[in-house]
Amino acid sequence: MTTDRPLRADAARNRASLLAAATAEFAERGFDASVADIARRAGIGKGTVFRHFPTKDDLLAAVVLDRIDGLAALARELIEAPSPGPALRQLMEAAAGQQRQLDLSFLREAGGVNARLDDARTDLFASITALVERAQAAGAIRPDISGLDVILLMCAPNYVVSYVPDPAPDLWRRYLAIIFDGLSPDGAGPLPA
Amino acid sequence: MTTDRPLRADAARNRASLLAAATAEFAERGFDASVADIARRAGIGKGTVFRHFPTKDDLLAAVVLDRIDGLAALARELIEAPSPGPALRQLMEAAAGQQRQLDLSFLREAGGVNARLDDARTDLFASITALVERAQAAGAIRPDISGLDVILLMCAPNYVVSYVPDPAPDLWRRYLAIIFDGLSPDGAGPLPA
DNA sequence: AGCTAAACGGACCGGGCGGTCAACTTGTTA
DNA sequence: TAACAAGTTGACCGCCCGGTCCGTTTAGCT
């Protein structure tokens, strides 16, 4: 299908700065950031953006993709960690700390726009599930928690913080700490649903 | 300023169905729901919408207002409740259960668009703070929690659930339970920030 | 019933968006 | 260095949105 001819030098450069600009802009303004603004920030023309990514959605997918890849890589490492409880927490901190506003959007079905994205998500999901199971075996977290629970909850601090007027840059740690405590095995009663 | 002449009968009817339609539409599609769609759903013309609310923001404010008023009323009641811990939880459940997607947006400065909204928010905040303090005095939740923490966290379940493909209608209870457990006094170590 | 002002509604406007295109520039290769 | 393909660009298109306006309808009063 795609003949993988190597990218021309300037094209590669533009692609990189485009990705950086998109990451920043999406982080600051959310998905509503306009393509024109992103292009301006990257110092390239709007047309060039669409040459690299046929659609704004594809651009977002690319941005989100390497976040997920990074997280998945970390998760894979952490599976081997000696103490699974702290390892799980470390992963959640990495997730909450690095992303800002991108949030949970990557959970949406990519609709085949980007098959790589679907793979990465599946991969991340598998690693997190393994991590969770190890943490449960070690008695670090309650047994009725799933990998999905963790994925969902690790994004909550960012969401919550995004609504406080002048958030301290690491305020998210506060809410992550509370949520992580909620995962501990001495909680009251079984979880609904 | 505003001479409070009583509303004409049809105008009152329209205003009511407009509010209902706006509530539903905002809940389903978020703030991006178009005014035209809301008008159509209410069975009125678009111009009529702007007659009742000069701006889309004002319409949202009105919708949000009675959510907050309702919550504030409940909070005020619950302050007198015999067991403050469950009372606080009940409030958080009411907040998480009734709203869908409106989320935390009401925390944004209304910018004077609607002074009533600011008042209601302040009122809710005060009642929740009182509730929290009583719960702390009873040893039901950890002492380093603020009213703001509770407001933020009680909206998280809804956010989180909105990203799962086919959520059970009360899946939010699951995440609220986890979060509420995180508020309990036997958490590990002091909270950051 | 008849009158008036309140209320209605939809064509219309300006602006911003995602996406396209054809003329132009530039890296690459022989 | 010549020539071509790959890459760039910004003007442009169509669409949709929030908001306006004015001709029309209608509730309420006498």
Side-chain angles (χ1 to χ4, degrees):
Chain A
M1 207 64 177
T2 53
T3 45
D4 280 300
R5 190 199 311 261
L7 222 46
R8 225 171 67 175
D10 57 344
R13 219 181 315 125
N14 281 340
R15 190 176 206 278
S17 65
L18 167 56
L19 238 27
T23 302
E25 205 73 13
F26 282 140
E28 287 170 17
R29 311 206 195 263
F31 186 62
D32 289 341
S34 79
V35 174
D37 284 346
I38 293 174
R40 204 171 308 123
R41 183 164 187 156
I44 64 180
K46 195 168 61 148
T48 307
V49 175
F50 288 102
R51 158 162 277 265
H52 286 282
F53 301 95
T55 273
K56 189 186 176 186
D57 287 316
D58 289 304
L59 177 55
L60 177 64
V63 167
V64 161
L65 179 58
D66 57 57
R67 291 284 173 91
I68 298 190
D69 272 343
L71 230 43
L74 177 62
R76 235 174 291 118
E77 266 177 49
L78 287 173
I79 294 180
E80 312 289 349
S83 45
L88 180 61
R89 176 156 187 171
Q90 188 182 336
L91 182 82
M92 292 177 75
E93 287 189 344
Q98 92 181 196
Q99 76 195 197
R100 186 174 186 80
Q101 196 89 292
L102 275 251
D103 303 320
L104 242 11
S105 51
F106 69 82
L107 269 194
R108 298 187 182 291
E109 282 305 323
V113 170
N114 194 330
R116 284 257 298 123
L117 214 179
D118 282 323
D119 289 350
R121 195 167 43 209
T122 305
D123 188 27
L124 175 62
F125 192 90
S127 298
I128 287 188
T129 300
L131 215 62
V132 166
E133 277 163 8
R134 279 196 27 115
Q136 284 165 338
I141 69 171
R142 55 198 306 170
D144 49 1
I145 292 288
S146 71
L148 179 59
D149 291 335
V150 169
I151 290 185
L152 292 171
L153 288 170
M154 75 190 185
C155 294
N158 249 283
Y159 165 71
V160 143
V161 162
S162 75
Y163 281 98
V164 357
D166 284 315
D170 59 352
L171 182 58
W172 58 269
R173 289 183 186 280
R174 178 178 183 82
Y175 298 107
L176 184 60
I178 293 172
I179 289 171
F180 192 80
D181 270 5
L183 259 27
S184 82
D186 38 78
L191 254 23
Chain B
M1 205 61 180
T2 52
T3 46
D4 282 298
R5 190 200 312 260
L7 224 48
R8 223 170 72 174
D10 56 345
R13 220 181 315 122
N14 282 339
R15 190 175 206 278
S17 65
L18 167 56
L19 239 27
T23 301
E25 205 74 11
F26 282 140
E28 286 170 17
R29 309 204 196 265
F31 185 63
D32 289 340
S34 79
V35 174
D37 284 346
I38 293 173
R40 203 171 308 123
R41 182 163 188 158
I44 65 180
K46 195 169 59 151
T48 307
V49 174
F50 288 102
R51 159 163 278 265
H52 286 283
F53 301 95
T55 272
K56 189 187 177 186
D57 287 315
D58 290 302
L59 177 56
L60 177 64
V63 167
V64 161
L65 180 58
D66 58 57
R67 292 283 172 92
I68 298 190
D69 272 344
L71 230 43
L74 178 61
R76 233 175 290 118
E77 265 177 50
L78 288 173
I79 294 180
E80 313 287 349
S83 45
L88 181 61
R89 176 157 188 170
Q90 188 182 336
L91 181 82
M92 292 178 75
E93 286 189 344
Q98 93 182 196
Q99 75 195 200
R100 186 175 185 79
Q101 195 89 291
L102 275 251
D103 303 320
L104 241 11
S105 51
F106 67 82
L107 270 194
R108 297 187 184 293
E109 282 306 323
V113 171
N114 194 330
R116 284 257 299 124
L117 213 179
D118 283 323
D119 290 351
R121 196 168 42 209
T122 305
D123 188 27
L124 175 62
F125 192 90
S127 297
I128 287 189
T129 300
L131 215 62
V132 166
E133 277 161 9
R134 280 197 24 114
Q136 283 164 338
I141 69 170
R142 56 198 305 170
D144 49 2
I145 291 288
S146 71
L148 179 59
D149 291 335
V150 169
I151 290 185
L152 291 171
L153 288 170
M154 76 190 184
C155 295
N158 250 281
Y159 165 71
V160 144
V161 163
S162 75
Y163 282 98
V164 356
D166 284 314
D170 59 353
L171 182 58
W172 58 268
R173 289 185 186 280
R174 178 177 183 83
Y175 298 106
L176 184 60
I178 293 173
I179 288 171
F180 192 80
D181 271 4
L183 260 26
S184 83
D186 39 78
L191 254 25

